Amino acid sequence: MSRSSWLALATSALLSAAIVVAVHVQQRRELERLRSGVLRDLERQNQKKENIRLLEEQIALTKQLMEERDKALMQKGSQKS
């Protein structure tokens, strides 16, 4: 085998190996990105549930406060009469 043909074979083999490695690295990165996307979605869903729970709690507290205020106003009005 001549030196130039051996060099061409070695170069093409190294280039092919580099391409295979690059594709595998790219696939791993994409898989990790997809997995992290799923984890972010789950975290967002949990945060949304927590926000809804807090909002419902605030609505209940506001309703309770308004009822107590109305009772106090009624008692104040009946005491004046």
Side-chain angles (χ1 to χ4, degrees):
M1 216 176 190
S2 71
R3 186 174 194 178
S4 60
S5 62
W6 185 86
L7 186 59
L9 177 64
T11 303
S12 64
L14 286 174
L15 184 59
S16 296
I19 289 172
V20 168
V21 168
V23 167
H24 283 290
V25 168
Q26 183 181 4
Q27 286 177 340
R28 282 192 185 135
R29 284 182 184 164
E30 188 172 335
L31 184 63
E32 288 174 12
R33 186 179 59 82
L34 290 172
R35 285 181 181 159
S36 67
V38 170
L39 294 176
R40 281 193 312 266
D41 286 346
L42 291 173
E43 183 59 35
R44 282 188 203 124
Q45 288 175 358
N46 290 336
Q47 186 62 45
K48 186 175 181 179
K49 287 177 185 176
E50 178 66 15
N51 288 345
I52 290 171
R53 186 191 66 75
L54 289 173
L55 179 62
E56 289 172 348
E57 186 178 313
Q58 286 295 318
I59 290 170
L61 289 172
T62 302
K63 186 177 178 181
Q64 180 184 359
L65 180 64
M66 292 179 80
E67 288 172 357
E68 289 175 4
R69 184 193 67 187
D70 291 344
K71 281 182 187 178
L73 288 173
M74 290 280 205
Q75 287 176 352
K76 208 179 217 186
S78 66
Q79 287 176 357
K80 285 185 178 179
S81 300

